[in-house]
Structures are given as C-alpha cells and as structure tokens.
Amino acid sequence: MRVTRNLITGGAGFLGSHLTDRLMEAGEEVICLDNYFTGRKSNIAQWIGHPRFELIRHDVTEPIRLEVDRIWHLACPASPVHYQFNPIKTAKTSFLGTLNMLGLARRVGARLLLASTSEVYGDPEVHPQPESYRGCVNTIGIRSCYDEGKRIAETLCFDYQRMHGTEIRVMRIFNTYGPRMLPDDGRVVSNFIVQALTNKPITLYGGGGQTRSFCYVDDLIQGMILLMNSNESGPINIGNPGEFSIKQLAEKVRALINPELKFINLPLPQDDPLQRQPDIALANQRLNWSPKISLDQGLPPTLEWFKSIV
C-alpha cells in the first residue's frame, strides 16, 4: 500500500512541527516547507535524515511544484508581534500563499486543509462564536493584515471548491499554547511565562478583564487530523471552550513560578478583542472532537519547555 505524502507549509513552526511529529509517527511521508521567519529547524531536527522526511526552504508566496496527496497549509505568522512586523508580507502570505497551494492542490488532485483563525471573527458581538457568525473586523487597522488575510484565504478555498471541485478543509484555530512556542512571539501565554521566569512584573493590558480560551497543542493537532480525514469542508472551530480572563491566566502563571511577582497595567492595544470563546458544537457533532487537556494540565509542560530555552 502506498504511503500518504503530506506537504506541511510552515512545517518547522509551532503547530507545523507538532503535526510533523504525529504524521511521521503514523508512518506517513512528510515534506516540510518553511522560510524560517517564525519556524525553527530545531523544531523538526529529530526527523532530518529520515527516509520519509524532506525539508525544503521555500516561501509560499512563490509557486512550487510537488507531487503530494495532502496539503496542510499552516504557513503564516500568527502572533501580532510577527504579523505586524511586515503587514504587507503577511497579507501576501495569506493571499498568494493560499492561491499557490490551492493551485498545487488542483493540479495534483490533493486535499488541502487551511489553518484559518478565530481572528476572522474580529472583536465579536456574538459570544461564544459559532461558525455561522460573520464577524466584526476592522479592515484598516493594525491587525487587519492577518484578520482580513485569513478571511480572503477562506474565500479562495471555497471558490476553488465551487469552480474546480478542489477538496478543502477549513479550520478556525483559537488560542493554542504548548511546547515550541517562541519566547518573543507576543502571545499572552509566552509573555507571562517569560516575564515570570525572568522575575519581571507581569504585564496586563486594559486591566486583564478581556477573555480568551486556551487549547493545548496536542488537542489542537488531534482536531486538525480528524478534520483532514473527515468529509467536512468546514469552516469548523477548533479550540478549548474553557473561558478565562487574561488576569486569571496571569494569576495561574504567577502561582506556578513566583507568587511574589507584581502586575503592571498598560492600555489595551488597538482592536484587541474583548472576548474570545469557540462554540465547538460542530466539531463535537461532525468530528467527535472535544479537547481533553485543561489549562491547569497544559501549563506545566509548557512551563518546562520555556525553562529549557529562557
């Protein structure tokens, strides 16, 4: 029986490397594509030289010709620090990168999974957010390059499905954390842990009353694989519906590392959503998926990872 050939764009990144691990452990072939803007070769170093693994340095804004069965399209900086560093490049990555991968999928008859985002909902007026909610997004703000980039990426996927019969799977990813996060990515989990490990005050924006839902990376990857293997086009929310205020998260991190640390308050950044919680009824019904790892269970292994690199 022929082994499935997988192409993972952004395969050396946080999510891409965990997906690589799962597919390699399942005996499949993996081609990892990354330009190393936020990906790191160390994340996939254990597979370099393996006969079923191939690593290609490539930017998805440029076309590439490969023979593959499945395309896991994860390439795009996903944290505000990184996607705002070069917002035009971020928009190009979402649009041109997705266009190129859909073109490849059409040519070779591959199935494509798009890693979309909860940011397509913007600063939501509906809570929690179901897939039917169309969002409240600022088209001209500092986060728009990412939010609108992912929205047009979803549009392209469904237009390719309608026009060319391309097999697509669209996954809306909510806040995810775990080992291999970058220490300087500006996300709240990494920010708080790094600040606490270096004995700095923990920074709360806008008092920390805004809410987020935190999904451990192992749960997220399981949901991603179930969606790819299903007959569902999506979009489907994948995230942990447990809702915490940013201050509650800060208190959990402080309790794990140094209960004496102080909090400092700064103004809320532009367009920072006040609430974020996935409605995962669809994932539960169609994929039989729900997260298994709580925030209290997922923070300790994440903390150990940061201890090893900070």
Side-chain angles (χ1 to χ4, degrees), residues 6 8 15-30 46-47 52 72 180 216-226 229 289 293:
N6 298 276
I8 306 176
L15 295 182
S17 63
H18 283 278
L19 176 61
T20 297
D21 290 351
R22 287 287 296 274
L23 296 178
M24 288 295 293
E25 286 158 7
E28 299 188 12
E29 290 185 12
V30 173
Q46 67 271 33
W47 301 116
R52 286 187 284 104
W72 309 74
R180 300 183 196 157
Y216 190 66
V217 63
D218 291 357
D219 281 334
L220 190 283
I221 297 301
Q222 180 63 18
M224 185 182 289
I225 290 170
L226 286 171
N229 291 338
W289 178 86
I293 300 164

PDB file of all heavy atoms in Angstrom, residues 6 8 15-30 46-47 52 72 180 216-226 229 289 293:
ATOM      1  N   ASN A   6       2.461  13.888   2.548  1.00  0.00           N
ATOM      2  CA  ASN A   6       1.932  15.111   3.137  1.00  0.00           C
ATOM      3  C   ASN A   6       2.875  16.283   2.898  1.00  0.00           C
ATOM      4  O   ASN A   6       4.086  16.158   3.117  1.00  0.00           O
ATOM      5  CB  ASN A   6       1.770  14.941   4.652  1.00  0.00           C
ATOM      6  CG  ASN A   6       0.796  13.845   5.016  1.00  0.00           C
ATOM      7  OD1 ASN A   6      -0.404  14.062   5.049  1.00  0.00           O
ATOM      8  ND2 ASN A   6       1.315  12.641   5.294  1.00  0.00           N
ATOM      9  N   ILE A   8       3.477  19.973   4.428  1.00  0.00           N
ATOM     10  CA  ILE A   8       3.103  20.895   5.505  1.00  0.00           C
ATOM     11  C   ILE A   8       3.807  22.217   5.260  1.00  0.00           C
ATOM     12  O   ILE A   8       5.034  22.305   5.358  1.00  0.00           O
ATOM     13  CB  ILE A   8       3.488  20.347   6.902  1.00  0.00           C
ATOM     14  CG1 ILE A   8       2.917  18.946   7.120  1.00  0.00           C
ATOM     15  CG2 ILE A   8       3.002  21.304   7.991  1.00  0.00           C
ATOM     16  CD1 ILE A   8       3.341  18.312   8.438  1.00  0.00           C
ATOM     17  N   LEU A  15       2.885  24.883  15.400  1.00  0.00           N
ATOM     18  CA  LEU A  15       1.887  23.854  15.088  1.00  0.00           C
ATOM     19  C   LEU A  15       2.413  22.863  14.058  1.00  0.00           C
ATOM     20  O   LEU A  15       2.192  21.650  14.171  1.00  0.00           O
ATOM     21  CB  LEU A  15       0.597  24.498  14.578  1.00  0.00           C
ATOM     22  CG  LEU A  15      -0.171  25.374  15.560  1.00  0.00           C
ATOM     23  CD1 LEU A  15      -1.443  25.902  14.906  1.00  0.00           C
ATOM     24  CD2 LEU A  15      -0.506  24.623  16.838  1.00  0.00           C
ATOM     25  N   GLY A  16       3.111  23.367  13.041  1.00  0.00           N
ATOM     26  CA  GLY A  16       3.592  22.512  11.961  1.00  0.00           C
ATOM     27  C   GLY A  16       4.516  21.409  12.440  1.00  0.00           C
ATOM     28  O   GLY A  16       4.449  20.275  11.958  1.00  0.00           O
ATOM     29  N   SER A  17       5.374  21.720  13.411  1.00  0.00           N
ATOM     30  CA  SER A  17       6.317  20.704  13.901  1.00  0.00           C
ATOM     31  C   SER A  17       5.605  19.629  14.716  1.00  0.00           C
ATOM     32  O   SER A  17       5.956  18.445  14.649  1.00  0.00           O
ATOM     33  CB  SER A  17       7.435  21.363  14.727  1.00  0.00           C
ATOM     34  OG  SER A  17       6.915  21.999  15.883  1.00  0.00           O
ATOM     35  N   HIS A  18       4.585  20.019  15.475  1.00  0.00           N
ATOM     36  CA  HIS A  18       3.808  19.014  16.217  1.00  0.00           C
ATOM     37  C   HIS A  18       3.021  18.124  15.255  1.00  0.00           C
ATOM     38  O   HIS A  18       2.907  16.916  15.474  1.00  0.00           O
ATOM     39  CB  HIS A  18       2.865  19.696  17.208  1.00  0.00           C
ATOM     40  CG  HIS A  18       3.546  20.196  18.446  1.00  0.00           C
ATOM     41  ND1 HIS A  18       3.838  19.379  19.515  1.00  0.00           N
ATOM     42  CD2 HIS A  18       4.004  21.431  18.783  1.00  0.00           C
ATOM     43  CE1 HIS A  18       4.442  20.090  20.463  1.00  0.00           C
ATOM     44  NE2 HIS A  18       4.563  21.335  20.036  1.00  0.00           N
ATOM     45  N   LEU A  19       2.485  18.724  14.184  1.00  0.00           N
ATOM     46  CA  LEU A  19       1.797  17.930  13.163  1.00  0.00           C
ATOM     47  C   LEU A  19       2.778  16.984  12.472  1.00  0.00           C
ATOM     48  O   LEU A  19       2.454  15.809  12.229  1.00  0.00           O
ATOM     49  CB  LEU A  19       1.136  18.851  12.144  1.00  0.00           C
ATOM     50  CG  LEU A  19       0.451  18.172  10.959  1.00  0.00           C
ATOM     51  CD1 LEU A  19      -0.686  17.261  11.419  1.00  0.00           C
ATOM     52  CD2 LEU A  19      -0.062  19.215   9.962  1.00  0.00           C
ATOM     53  N   THR A  20       3.975  17.481  12.173  1.00  0.00           N
ATOM     54  CA  THR A  20       5.019  16.639  11.574  1.00  0.00           C
ATOM     55  C   THR A  20       5.285  15.413  12.447  1.00  0.00           C
ATOM     56  O   THR A  20       5.348  14.278  11.947  1.00  0.00           O
ATOM     57  CB  THR A  20       6.321  17.442  11.388  1.00  0.00           C
ATOM     58  OG1 THR A  20       6.088  18.512  10.468  1.00  0.00           O
ATOM     59  CG2 THR A  20       7.452  16.574  10.871  1.00  0.00           C
ATOM     60  N   ASP A  21       5.430  15.633  13.748  1.00  0.00           N
ATOM     61  CA  ASP A  21       5.658  14.515  14.675  1.00  0.00           C
ATOM     62  C   ASP A  21       4.562  13.463  14.549  1.00  0.00           C
ATOM     63  O   ASP A  21       4.836  12.259  14.456  1.00  0.00           O
ATOM     64  CB  ASP A  21       5.704  15.012  16.122  1.00  0.00           C
ATOM     65  CG  ASP A  21       6.946  15.824  16.444  1.00  0.00           C
ATOM     66  OD1 ASP A  21       7.854  15.876  15.607  1.00  0.00           O
ATOM     67  OD2 ASP A  21       6.980  16.426  17.543  1.00  0.00           O
ATOM     68  N   ARG A  22       3.308  13.923  14.556  1.00  0.00           N
ATOM     69  CA  ARG A  22       2.181  12.990  14.537  1.00  0.00           C
ATOM     70  C   ARG A  22       2.142  12.181  13.242  1.00  0.00           C
ATOM     71  O   ARG A  22       1.914  10.968  13.249  1.00  0.00           O
ATOM     72  CB  ARG A  22       0.865  13.750  14.726  1.00  0.00           C
ATOM     73  CG  ARG A  22       0.629  14.253  16.136  1.00  0.00           C
ATOM     74  CD  ARG A  22       0.281  13.137  17.112  1.00  0.00           C
ATOM     75  NE  ARG A  22      -0.974  12.516  16.766  1.00  0.00           N
ATOM     76  CZ  ARG A  22      -2.169  12.969  17.162  1.00  0.00           C
ATOM     77  NH1 ARG A  22      -2.238  14.044  17.944  1.00  0.00           N
ATOM     78  NH2 ARG A  22      -3.274  12.341  16.804  1.00  0.00           N
ATOM     79  N   LEU A  23       2.357  12.848  12.113  1.00  0.00           N
ATOM     80  CA  LEU A  23       2.288  12.160  10.823  1.00  0.00           C
ATOM     81  C   LEU A  23       3.469  11.210  10.628  1.00  0.00           C
ATOM     82  O   LEU A  23       3.312  10.104  10.096  1.00  0.00           O
ATOM     83  CB  LEU A  23       2.231  13.177   9.682  1.00  0.00           C
ATOM     84  CG  LEU A  23       0.994  14.084   9.654  1.00  0.00           C
ATOM     85  CD1 LEU A  23       1.089  15.074   8.504  1.00  0.00           C
ATOM     86  CD2 LEU A  23      -0.296  13.282   9.565  1.00  0.00           C
ATOM     87  N   MET A  24       4.659  11.630  11.073  1.00  0.00           N
ATOM     88  CA  MET A  24       5.828  10.754  10.967  1.00  0.00           C
ATOM     89  C   MET A  24       5.655   9.524  11.859  1.00  0.00           C
ATOM     90  O   MET A  24       5.982   8.396  11.454  1.00  0.00           O
ATOM     91  CB  MET A  24       7.094  11.525  11.345  1.00  0.00           C
ATOM     92  CG  MET A  24       7.536  12.557  10.321  1.00  0.00           C
ATOM     93  SD  MET A  24       8.039  11.827   8.740  1.00  0.00           S
ATOM     94  CE  MET A  24       9.527  10.940   9.236  1.00  0.00           C
ATOM     95  N   GLU A  25       5.141   9.731  13.059  1.00  0.00           N
ATOM     96  CA  GLU A  25       4.928   8.606  13.984  1.00  0.00           C
ATOM     97  C   GLU A  25       3.868   7.643  13.443  1.00  0.00           C
ATOM     98  O   GLU A  25       3.858   6.459  13.803  1.00  0.00           O
ATOM     99  CB  GLU A  25       4.529   9.138  15.364  1.00  0.00           C
ATOM    100  CG  GLU A  25       5.707   9.749  16.121  1.00  0.00           C
ATOM    101  CD  GLU A  25       5.278  10.726  17.213  1.00  0.00           C
ATOM    102  OE1 GLU A  25       4.055  10.836  17.479  1.00  0.00           O
ATOM    103  OE2 GLU A  25       6.163  11.383  17.802  1.00  0.00           O
ATOM    104  N   ALA A  26       2.976   8.157  12.570  1.00  0.00           N
ATOM    105  CA  ALA A  26       1.936   7.310  11.965  1.00  0.00           C
ATOM    106  C   ALA A  26       2.443   6.581  10.721  1.00  0.00           C
ATOM    107  O   ALA A  26       1.695   5.858  10.068  1.00  0.00           O
ATOM    108  CB  ALA A  26       0.722   8.161  11.606  1.00  0.00           C
ATOM    109  N   GLY A  27       3.732   6.785  10.354  1.00  0.00           N
ATOM    110  CA  GLY A  27       4.319   6.070   9.233  1.00  0.00           C
ATOM    111  C   GLY A  27       4.100   6.721   7.878  1.00  0.00           C
ATOM    112  O   GLY A  27       4.306   6.089   6.847  1.00  0.00           O
ATOM    113  N   GLU A  28       3.688   8.015   7.869  1.00  0.00           N
ATOM    114  CA  GLU A  28       3.437   8.704   6.607  1.00  0.00           C
ATOM    115  C   GLU A  28       4.684   9.458   6.154  1.00  0.00           C
ATOM    116  O   GLU A  28       5.662   9.591   6.903  1.00  0.00           O
ATOM    117  CB  GLU A  28       2.242   9.653   6.757  1.00  0.00           C
ATOM    118  CG  GLU A  28       0.966   8.904   7.117  1.00  0.00           C
ATOM    119  CD  GLU A  28      -0.283   9.763   7.098  1.00  0.00           C
ATOM    120  OE1 GLU A  28      -0.233  10.904   6.588  1.00  0.00           O
ATOM    121  OE2 GLU A  28      -1.331   9.293   7.592  1.00  0.00           O
ATOM    122  N   GLU A  29       4.652   9.936   4.891  1.00  0.00           N
ATOM    123  CA  GLU A  29       5.736  10.780   4.381  1.00  0.00           C
ATOM    124  C   GLU A  29       5.387  12.241   4.605  1.00  0.00           C
ATOM    125  O   GLU A  29       4.224  12.635   4.452  1.00  0.00           O
ATOM    126  CB  GLU A  29       5.945  10.533   2.882  1.00  0.00           C
ATOM    127  CG  GLU A  29       6.532   9.178   2.555  1.00  0.00           C
ATOM    128  CD  GLU A  29       6.839   9.032   1.070  1.00  0.00           C
ATOM    129  OE1 GLU A  29       6.815  10.049   0.344  1.00  0.00           O
ATOM    130  OE2 GLU A  29       7.099   7.890   0.644  1.00  0.00           O
ATOM    131  N   VAL A  30       6.409  13.023   4.950  1.00  0.00           N
ATOM    132  CA  VAL A  30       6.192  14.450   5.201  1.00  0.00           C
ATOM    133  C   VAL A  30       7.222  15.273   4.435  1.00  0.00           C
ATOM    134  O   VAL A  30       8.421  15.021   4.526  1.00  0.00           O
ATOM    135  CB  VAL A  30       6.295  14.775   6.715  1.00  0.00           C
ATOM    136  CG1 VAL A  30       6.250  16.289   6.943  1.00  0.00           C
ATOM    137  CG2 VAL A  30       5.175  14.095   7.497  1.00  0.00           C
ATOM    138  N   GLN A  46      14.755  16.284  14.810  1.00  0.00           N
ATOM    139  CA  GLN A  46      14.773  14.835  15.048  1.00  0.00           C
ATOM    140  C   GLN A  46      14.411  14.036  13.803  1.00  0.00           C
ATOM    141  O   GLN A  46      14.684  12.837  13.735  1.00  0.00           O
ATOM    142  CB  GLN A  46      13.837  14.449  16.209  1.00  0.00           C
ATOM    143  CG  GLN A  46      12.352  14.653  15.948  1.00  0.00           C
ATOM    144  CD  GLN A  46      11.874  16.032  16.323  1.00  0.00           C
ATOM    145  OE1 GLN A  46      12.595  17.022  16.205  1.00  0.00           O
ATOM    146  NE2 GLN A  46      10.639  16.120  16.788  1.00  0.00           N
ATOM    147  N   TRP A  47      13.816  14.682  12.792  1.00  0.00           N
ATOM    148  CA  TRP A  47      13.401  13.968  11.583  1.00  0.00           C
ATOM    149  C   TRP A  47      14.353  14.172  10.411  1.00  0.00           C
ATOM    150  O   TRP A  47      14.223  13.495   9.386  1.00  0.00           O
ATOM    151  CB  TRP A  47      11.986  14.395  11.181  1.00  0.00           C
ATOM    152  CG  TRP A  47      10.979  14.139  12.248  1.00  0.00           C
ATOM    153  CD1 TRP A  47      10.244  15.080  12.914  1.00  0.00           C
ATOM    154  CD2 TRP A  47      10.591  12.869  12.788  1.00  0.00           C
ATOM    155  NE1 TRP A  47       9.427  14.473  13.845  1.00  0.00           N
ATOM    156  CE2 TRP A  47       9.619  13.123  13.787  1.00  0.00           C
ATOM    157  CE3 TRP A  47      10.966  11.548  12.529  1.00  0.00           C
ATOM    158  CZ2 TRP A  47       9.022  12.092  14.515  1.00  0.00           C
ATOM    159  CZ3 TRP A  47      10.375  10.534  13.265  1.00  0.00           C
ATOM    160  CH2 TRP A  47       9.424  10.808  14.237  1.00  0.00           C
ATOM    161  N   ARG A  52      11.571   9.078   5.273  1.00  0.00           N
ATOM    162  CA  ARG A  52      10.221   9.535   4.944  1.00  0.00           C
ATOM    163  C   ARG A  52      10.031  11.037   5.138  1.00  0.00           C
ATOM    164  O   ARG A  52       8.912  11.544   5.017  1.00  0.00           O
ATOM    165  CB  ARG A  52       9.177   8.782   5.781  1.00  0.00           C
ATOM    166  CG  ARG A  52       8.947   7.348   5.342  1.00  0.00           C
ATOM    167  CD  ARG A  52       7.796   6.687   6.076  1.00  0.00           C
ATOM    168  NE  ARG A  52       8.160   6.300   7.439  1.00  0.00           N
ATOM    169  CZ  ARG A  52       7.798   6.946   8.536  1.00  0.00           C
ATOM    170  NH1 ARG A  52       7.063   8.034   8.466  1.00  0.00           N
ATOM    171  NH2 ARG A  52       8.177   6.507   9.735  1.00  0.00           N
ATOM    172  N   TRP A  72      -1.266  20.499   4.094  1.00  0.00           N
ATOM    173  CA  TRP A  72      -1.644  21.125   5.368  1.00  0.00           C
ATOM    174  C   TRP A  72      -1.073  22.541   5.308  1.00  0.00           C
ATOM    175  O   TRP A  72       0.129  22.738   5.509  1.00  0.00           O
ATOM    176  CB  TRP A  72      -1.060  20.345   6.549  1.00  0.00           C
ATOM    177  CG  TRP A  72      -1.320  18.862   6.527  1.00  0.00           C
ATOM    178  CD1 TRP A  72      -0.719  17.932   5.723  1.00  0.00           C
ATOM    179  CD2 TRP A  72      -2.236  18.128   7.358  1.00  0.00           C
ATOM    180  NE1 TRP A  72      -1.205  16.671   5.993  1.00  0.00           N
ATOM    181  CE2 TRP A  72      -2.125  16.756   6.986  1.00  0.00           C
ATOM    182  CE3 TRP A  72      -3.125  18.498   8.373  1.00  0.00           C
ATOM    183  CZ2 TRP A  72      -2.878  15.766   7.614  1.00  0.00           C
ATOM    184  CZ3 TRP A  72      -3.871  17.502   8.991  1.00  0.00           C
ATOM    185  CH2 TRP A  72      -3.753  16.160   8.620  1.00  0.00           C
ATOM    186  N   ARG A 180       7.370  24.552  22.266  1.00  0.00           N
ATOM    187  CA  ARG A 180       7.851  25.067  20.973  1.00  0.00           C
ATOM    188  C   ARG A 180       7.260  26.426  20.599  1.00  0.00           C
ATOM    189  O   ARG A 180       7.508  26.916  19.505  1.00  0.00           O
ATOM    190  CB  ARG A 180       7.653  24.074  19.830  1.00  0.00           C
ATOM    191  CG  ARG A 180       8.385  22.751  20.042  1.00  0.00           C
ATOM    192  CD  ARG A 180       8.228  21.819  18.856  1.00  0.00           C
ATOM    193  NE  ARG A 180       8.597  20.462  19.228  1.00  0.00           N
ATOM    194  CZ  ARG A 180       8.180  19.370  18.610  1.00  0.00           C
ATOM    195  NH1 ARG A 180       7.396  19.470  17.564  1.00  0.00           N
ATOM    196  NH2 ARG A 180       8.555  18.181  19.022  1.00  0.00           N
ATOM    197  N   TYR A 216      -4.602  23.323  24.393  1.00  0.00           N
ATOM    198  CA  TYR A 216      -3.261  22.727  24.401  1.00  0.00           C
ATOM    199  C   TYR A 216      -2.973  22.134  23.028  1.00  0.00           C
ATOM    200  O   TYR A 216      -3.849  21.579  22.361  1.00  0.00           O
ATOM    201  CB  TYR A 216      -3.161  21.659  25.490  1.00  0.00           C
ATOM    202  CG  TYR A 216      -1.754  21.173  25.715  1.00  0.00           C
ATOM    203  CD1 TYR A 216      -0.780  22.024  26.234  1.00  0.00           C
ATOM    204  CD2 TYR A 216      -1.384  19.868  25.399  1.00  0.00           C
ATOM    205  CE1 TYR A 216       0.522  21.583  26.440  1.00  0.00           C
ATOM    206  CE2 TYR A 216      -0.091  19.419  25.609  1.00  0.00           C
ATOM    207  CZ  TYR A 216       0.863  20.284  26.123  1.00  0.00           C
ATOM    208  OH  TYR A 216       2.157  19.864  26.322  1.00  0.00           O
ATOM    209  N   VAL A 217      -1.727  22.238  22.611  1.00  0.00           N
ATOM    210  CA  VAL A 217      -1.351  21.906  21.234  1.00  0.00           C
ATOM    211  C   VAL A 217      -1.713  20.470  20.843  1.00  0.00           C
ATOM    212  O   VAL A 217      -2.132  20.213  19.699  1.00  0.00           O
ATOM    213  CB  VAL A 217       0.144  22.210  20.989  1.00  0.00           C
ATOM    214  CG1 VAL A 217       1.048  21.351  21.860  1.00  0.00           C
ATOM    215  CG2 VAL A 217       0.502  22.084  19.522  1.00  0.00           C
ATOM    216  N   ASP A 218      -1.590  19.504  21.751  1.00  0.00           N
ATOM    217  CA  ASP A 218      -1.910  18.108  21.411  1.00  0.00           C
ATOM    218  C   ASP A 218      -3.380  17.951  21.021  1.00  0.00           C
ATOM    219  O   ASP A 218      -3.721  17.214  20.089  1.00  0.00           O
ATOM    220  CB  ASP A 218      -1.580  17.174  22.579  1.00  0.00           C
ATOM    221  CG  ASP A 218      -0.084  17.041  22.832  1.00  0.00           C
ATOM    222  OD1 ASP A 218       0.699  17.644  22.060  1.00  0.00           O
ATOM    223  OD2 ASP A 218       0.300  16.349  23.780  1.00  0.00           O
ATOM    224  N   ASP A 219      -4.264  18.624  21.757  1.00  0.00           N
ATOM    225  CA  ASP A 219      -5.690  18.595  21.430  1.00  0.00           C
ATOM    226  C   ASP A 219      -5.942  19.222  20.063  1.00  0.00           C
ATOM    227  O   ASP A 219      -6.736  18.713  19.259  1.00  0.00           O
ATOM    228  CB  ASP A 219      -6.491  19.365  22.492  1.00  0.00           C
ATOM    229  CG  ASP A 219      -6.720  18.571  23.766  1.00  0.00           C
ATOM    230  OD1 ASP A 219      -6.721  17.326  23.707  1.00  0.00           O
ATOM    231  OD2 ASP A 219      -6.920  19.199  24.825  1.00  0.00           O
ATOM    232  N   LEU A 220      -5.287  20.342  19.813  1.00  0.00           N
ATOM    233  CA  LEU A 220      -5.469  21.063  18.548  1.00  0.00           C
ATOM    234  C   LEU A 220      -5.066  20.191  17.357  1.00  0.00           C
ATOM    235  O   LEU A 220      -5.785  20.090  16.363  1.00  0.00           O
ATOM    236  CB  LEU A 220      -4.653  22.359  18.596  1.00  0.00           C
ATOM    237  CG  LEU A 220      -4.805  23.432  17.515  1.00  0.00           C
ATOM    238  CD1 LEU A 220      -4.106  23.101  16.221  1.00  0.00           C
ATOM    239  CD2 LEU A 220      -6.235  23.853  17.322  1.00  0.00           C
ATOM    240  N   ILE A 221      -3.906  19.546  17.453  1.00  0.00           N
ATOM    241  CA  ILE A 221      -3.419  18.698  16.355  1.00  0.00           C
ATOM    242  C   ILE A 221      -4.357  17.527  16.121  1.00  0.00           C
ATOM    243  O   ILE A 221      -4.624  17.145  14.972  1.00  0.00           O
ATOM    244  CB  ILE A 221      -1.974  18.211  16.638  1.00  0.00           C
ATOM    245  CG1 ILE A 221      -1.007  19.411  16.713  1.00  0.00           C
ATOM    246  CG2 ILE A 221      -1.525  17.206  15.581  1.00  0.00           C
ATOM    247  CD1 ILE A 221      -0.932  20.264  15.456  1.00  0.00           C
ATOM    248  N   GLN A 222      -4.909  16.969  17.191  1.00  0.00           N
ATOM    249  CA  GLN A 222      -5.878  15.876  17.037  1.00  0.00           C
ATOM    250  C   GLN A 222      -7.104  16.355  16.259  1.00  0.00           C
ATOM    251  O   GLN A 222      -7.592  15.665  15.357  1.00  0.00           O
ATOM    252  CB  GLN A 222      -6.287  15.327  18.411  1.00  0.00           C
ATOM    253  CG  GLN A 222      -7.290  14.191  18.377  1.00  0.00           C
ATOM    254  CD  GLN A 222      -6.786  12.949  17.676  1.00  0.00           C
ATOM    255  OE1 GLN A 222      -5.591  12.760  17.484  1.00  0.00           O
ATOM    256  NE2 GLN A 222      -7.711  12.077  17.269  1.00  0.00           N
ATOM    257  N   GLY A 223      -7.594  17.552  16.590  1.00  0.00           N
ATOM    258  CA  GLY A 223      -8.736  18.114  15.865  1.00  0.00           C
ATOM    259  C   GLY A 223      -8.411  18.370  14.406  1.00  0.00           C
ATOM    260  O   GLY A 223      -9.240  18.138  13.514  1.00  0.00           O
ATOM    261  N   MET A 224      -7.198  18.830  14.144  1.00  0.00           N
ATOM    262  CA  MET A 224      -6.760  19.101  12.770  1.00  0.00           C
ATOM    263  C   MET A 224      -6.747  17.817  11.946  1.00  0.00           C
ATOM    264  O   MET A 224      -7.225  17.788  10.799  1.00  0.00           O
ATOM    265  CB  MET A 224      -5.358  19.733  12.811  1.00  0.00           C
ATOM    266  CG  MET A 224      -4.824  20.171  11.473  1.00  0.00           C
ATOM    267  SD  MET A 224      -3.135  20.868  11.600  1.00  0.00           S
ATOM    268  CE  MET A 224      -3.424  22.421  12.426  1.00  0.00           C
ATOM    269  N   ILE A 225      -6.214  16.738  12.509  1.00  0.00           N
ATOM    270  CA  ILE A 225      -6.133  15.461  11.799  1.00  0.00           C
ATOM    271  C   ILE A 225      -7.530  14.886  11.558  1.00  0.00           C
ATOM    272  O   ILE A 225      -7.832  14.389  10.465  1.00  0.00           O
ATOM    273  CB  ILE A 225      -5.236  14.479  12.585  1.00  0.00           C
ATOM    274  CG1 ILE A 225      -3.773  14.945  12.521  1.00  0.00           C
ATOM    275  CG2 ILE A 225      -5.383  13.051  12.055  1.00  0.00           C
ATOM    276  CD1 ILE A 225      -2.840  14.206  13.457  1.00  0.00           C
ATOM    277  N   LEU A 226      -8.409  14.990  12.556  1.00  0.00           N
ATOM    278  CA  LEU A 226      -9.783  14.494  12.390  1.00  0.00           C
ATOM    279  C   LEU A 226     -10.500  15.260  11.277  1.00  0.00           C
ATOM    280  O   LEU A 226     -11.233  14.658  10.486  1.00  0.00           O
ATOM    281  CB  LEU A 226     -10.558  14.631  13.712  1.00  0.00           C
ATOM    282  CG  LEU A 226     -10.194  13.636  14.812  1.00  0.00           C
ATOM    283  CD1 LEU A 226     -10.863  14.027  16.123  1.00  0.00           C
ATOM    284  CD2 LEU A 226     -10.603  12.213  14.419  1.00  0.00           C
ATOM    285  N   ASN A 229      -9.221  14.157   7.844  1.00  0.00           N
ATOM    286  CA  ASN A 229      -9.669  12.805   7.495  1.00  0.00           C
ATOM    287  C   ASN A 229     -11.182  12.689   7.324  1.00  0.00           C
ATOM    288  O   ASN A 229     -11.683  11.627   6.952  1.00  0.00           O
ATOM    289  CB  ASN A 229      -9.209  11.806   8.568  1.00  0.00           C
ATOM    290  CG  ASN A 229      -7.707  11.615   8.563  1.00  0.00           C
ATOM    291  OD1 ASN A 229      -7.038  11.884   7.567  1.00  0.00           O
ATOM    292  ND2 ASN A 229      -7.160  11.159   9.680  1.00  0.00           N
ATOM    293  N   TRP A 289     -15.001  15.464  18.195  1.00  0.00           N
ATOM    294  CA  TRP A 289     -13.803  16.046  18.819  1.00  0.00           C
ATOM    295  C   TRP A 289     -14.190  16.999  19.936  1.00  0.00           C
ATOM    296  O   TRP A 289     -15.115  17.812  19.792  1.00  0.00           O
ATOM    297  CB  TRP A 289     -12.972  16.830  17.798  1.00  0.00           C
ATOM    298  CG  TRP A 289     -11.747  17.478  18.407  1.00  0.00           C
ATOM    299  CD1 TRP A 289     -10.533  16.913  18.592  1.00  0.00           C
ATOM    300  CD2 TRP A 289     -11.657  18.807  18.952  1.00  0.00           C
ATOM    301  NE1 TRP A 289      -9.675  17.796  19.199  1.00  0.00           N
ATOM    302  CE2 TRP A 289     -10.340  18.965  19.434  1.00  0.00           C
ATOM    303  CE3 TRP A 289     -12.548  19.870  19.074  1.00  0.00           C
ATOM    304  CZ2 TRP A 289      -9.898  20.154  20.041  1.00  0.00           C
ATOM    305  CZ3 TRP A 289     -12.132  21.053  19.680  1.00  0.00           C
ATOM    306  CH2 TRP A 289     -10.808  21.177  20.150  1.00  0.00           C
ATOM    307  N   ILE A 293      -7.387  18.278  27.439  1.00  0.00           N
ATOM    308  CA  ILE A 293      -6.358  18.778  28.360  1.00  0.00           C
ATOM    309  C   ILE A 293      -6.747  20.169  28.852  1.00  0.00           C
ATOM    310  O   ILE A 293      -6.892  21.110  28.070  1.00  0.00           O
ATOM    311  CB  ILE A 293      -4.984  18.802  27.651  1.00  0.00           C
ATOM    312  CG1 ILE A 293      -4.609  17.381  27.204  1.00  0.00           C
ATOM    313  CG2 ILE A 293      -3.898  19.384  28.566  1.00  0.00           C
ATOM    314  CD1 ILE A 293      -3.491  17.317  26.193  1.00  0.00           C
TER     315      ILE A 293
END
